Each structure stands twice: as C-alpha cells, then as structure tokens.
C-alpha cells in the first residue's frame, strides 16, 4: 500500500516484516506493547526497550506464542544516559531496521533525571536523542519519533530547556517536550538529506488514546478527568487504534522522510492514520537547528 493510500489503514495492512528488527522504547504497556504485538505478528523481531524489565517480561509472556518468540526484553532507562550507553552496547552489530521512540512521561511533578535534566524533557527528548544518535550507525531504514496533540501547547525555550530558571508548569513542560520531538524528527530528516543518507526520520501522534500515561498526571483533578475521558469511546480510542499512526510511520515502505502521521478524525483525536500537519512553530528551521545543537551539547556534557 502506498504512502498516499491512507484510507482506513489498519494492522492488517502491515506488509510482511520477516527478517526485520525493531527497537520499541516503552514496549511493556500501552501503545508500545500494541506496536510490539502487531510487529511480531507480522514477523518482525522486536527489542522491547523498557525501564522495568520485570513488567516487560510479564508483558512479553502475554503475547501470542509465535510473537513471544520474536520479542526480547532489554533494559533501558531513558532517564539515565548511562543506561542508554549500556543498552546500545548490548545491541549486536547485525543492526536495527527501525527505531520507534515510543516511551514517554506526561504531566508529572517537577523531577530531575539522573543527569539533572527536567524529567519530561530528559526522558521524552534527551533520552531518545541520545539513543537515536548512538544507534544511528546500526539503523538501516528509519527513526520514528512520537509527537502529541499537546505539542500545540509547546514553545521551545532555548535559554531554559530544563526549567532551571522559569517556574514549572507540567503541561507546558510536556508540550515543550513533544514539540521538541516533532522538530527533532524534521531536523534529523534534513540532516539525512544533506548527508546523502538513505535513512528516514518520521513522526507520528496517537490522538487521544486510552493508556496508563494519563494516570501519572501531577494533578488529582486532571487524573480523574482523564480517567473519565479514557472511558468515553467518542473521545478516547483504545490503545490498539492509538498505535496505528506509529505502526504506519514505521512500516509503510514508501513513506517519505519528514512526514507527520496522525488520526484522520475531527481534530485528529481519533481515527485511522494519515499524513497531518504539526503547528507552525514546529517548522521553524532556525530554532530546530539550535535545538538539535543544544540537545547534543546537553547529552555530551554529562
């Protein structure tokens, strides 16, 4: 199925993935677990890159028998760049075809990663940036970054990416982190083109998907509202549908680099995957270049 033929694309449209290897971060639950199930169901080998290996092994055991044989758990804590180093060193040289930067945290109280980064920016952005940079020479096909509808709230504050001087707002911090993921995907694609690389960087967002991500909100009222939202089928779609945009972005053979994939329904809240547009700020090439350099400096400074 071609990249433009997006009408009601489902898991059944995933072309055979036999012989291909995927790394899926946060693969023990939610969108990552459903992506793992779909990819192994199509014949792919999936490296489940997870912070809690006990939970990941339990999730792997729940997969169908044939899928279970194709999935393997590796420890990866995106909140600790030393863990990223260890994970990459444990990936054998036979390579990775696709990296799906699926894991994330959302609307959490102010916290710091092992290297002192604001936790949402540190996990959602810098952990994945370091992982992508270190794995790039082993990747043969593409990198999929995860955006969010909440990138609309985001502004990139290059002078204070880690909330060291400004007052902390959990939603604005999340919005910044997701806008950063979108912009880094676009910037990575531009760099691939300049380098003459055949690799691709694409980005996807799930719309509103009922996962456990919402249960970690720092605000009790927000947690209750989201719990209610997750139970409303007219608002929230189940995880297997929420995973479709990242699966589309990861597997459609002729998908151009630099595309953004999201649900086709009103407001991109739910639906079937198709190319969509991110906000105007995400296309600022100058800010994206500076963001890339800032991320590289932060990761190297550790």
């Amino acid at each position: 199925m071609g990249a433009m033929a997006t009408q009601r694309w489902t898991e059944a449209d995933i072309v055979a993935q036999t012989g291909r290897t995927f790394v899926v971060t946060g693969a023990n639950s939610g969108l990552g677990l459903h992506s793992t199930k779909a990819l192994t169901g199509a014949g792919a080998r999936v490296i489940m890159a997870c912070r809690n290996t006990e939970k990941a092994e339990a999730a792997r055991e729940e997969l169908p028998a044939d899928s279970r044989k194709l999935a393997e758990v590796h420890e990866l804590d995106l909140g600790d760049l030393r863990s990223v180093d260890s994970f990459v060193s444990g990936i054998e040289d036979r390579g990775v075809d696709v990296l799906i930067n699926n894991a994330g945290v959302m609307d959490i109280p102010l916290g710091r990663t092992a290297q002192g980064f604001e936790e949402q920016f540190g996990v959602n952005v810098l952990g994945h940036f370091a992982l992508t940079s270190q794995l790039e020479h082993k990747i043969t096909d593409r990198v999929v970054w995860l955006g969010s509808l909440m990138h609309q709230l985001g502004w990139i504050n290059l002078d204070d990416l880690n909330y060291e001087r400004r007052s902390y707002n959990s939603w604005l911090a999340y919005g910044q982190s997701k806008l950063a993921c979108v912009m880094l995907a676009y910037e990575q694609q531009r760099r691939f083109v300049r380098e003459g690389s055949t690799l691709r960087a694409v980005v996807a967002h799930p719309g509103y998907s009922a996962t456990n991500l919402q249960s970690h909100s720092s605000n009790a009222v927000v947690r209750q509202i989201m719990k209610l939202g997750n139970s409303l089928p007219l608002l929230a779609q189940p995880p297997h549908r929420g995973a479709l945009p990242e699966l589309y972005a990861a597997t459609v053979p002729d998908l151009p680099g630099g595309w953004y994939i999201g649900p086709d329904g009103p407001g991109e809240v739910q639906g079937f995957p198709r190319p969509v547009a991110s906000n105007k700020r995400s296309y600022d090439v100058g800010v994206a270049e500076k963001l890339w350099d800032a991320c590289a400096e932060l990761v190297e400074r550790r």
Side-chain angles (χ1 to χ4, degrees), residues 216-289:
H216 299 144
S217 173
S218 59
N219 186 299
V221 175
V222 172
R223 287 198 300 272
Q224 289 303 312
I225 292 173
M226 288 190 164
K227 183 178 180 181
L228 175 62
N230 283 357
S231 68
L232 299 175
L234 291 178
L235 179 60
Q237 57 186 353
H240 73 270
R241 285 276 296 277
L244 288 179
E246 67 183 74
L247 287 167
Y248 182 98
T251 64
V252 169
D254 57 349
L255 183 69
W259 278 29
Y260 191 30
I261 306 299
D264 64 359
E268 299 171 24
V269 173
Q270 57 175 278
F272 296 89
R274 68 173 175 88
V276 296
S278 50
N279 69 16
K280 184 178 180 180
R281 294 188 294 281
S282 68
Y283 297 106
D284 189 320
V285 175
V287 171
E289 290 176 344

Side-chain angles (χ1 to χ4, degrees), residues 148-163:
S148 167
L149 285 171
M150 300 306 293
H151 88 281
Q152 300 285 354
L153 289 178
W155 291 83
I156 303 299
N157 188 324
L158 291 166
D159 295 323
D160 191 19
L161 290 170
N162 284 298
Y163 281 85

Side-chain angles (χ1 to χ4, degrees), residues 83-159:
S83 177
V84 176
D85 296 341
S86 297
F87 173 83
V88 173
S89 67
I91 301 297
E92 64 269 33
D93 289 332
R94 64 175 163 148
V96 170
D97 294 285
V98 180
L99 168 62
I100 304 180
N101 289 327
N102 165 82
V105 291
M106 180 181 78
D107 185 32
I108 58 175
L110 178 61
R112 298 287 169 185
T113 66
Q115 282 73 38
F117 305 128
E118 185 275 311
E119 196 166 2
Q120 296 192 85
F121 193 79
V123 171
N124 298 349
V125 183
L126 293 176
H128 281 127
F129 182 88
L131 175 65
T132 302
S133 299
Q134 292 189 49
L135 266 186
E136 185 178 312
H137 71 285
K138 298 183 179 183
I139 295 172
T140 66
D141 184 0
R142 70 190 82 176
V143 178
V144 180
W145 294 79
L146 263 289
S148 167
L149 285 171
M150 300 306 293
H151 88 281
Q152 300 285 354
L153 289 178
W155 291 83
I156 303 299
N157 188 324
L158 291 166
D159 295 323

Side-chain angles (χ1 to χ4, degrees), residues 41-96:
R45 170 186 177 233
V46 174
I47 297 172
M48 302 172 68
C50 304
R51 181 177 60 84
N52 189 319
T53 55
E54 186 175 331
K55 288 183 178 179
E57 289 288 2
R60 190 184 75 85
E61 286 300 315
E62 294 298 317
L63 294 172
D66 289 344
S67 291
R68 199 180 312 139
K69 296 174 184 176
L70 291 168
E72 57 190 71
V73 172
H74 288 223
E75 183 176 2
L76 173 64
D77 181 355
L78 291 162
D80 186 346
L81 296 181
R82 293 166 300 187
S83 177
V84 176
D85 296 341
S86 297
F87 173 83
V88 173
S89 67
I91 301 297
E92 64 269 33
D93 289 332
R94 64 175 163 148
V96 170

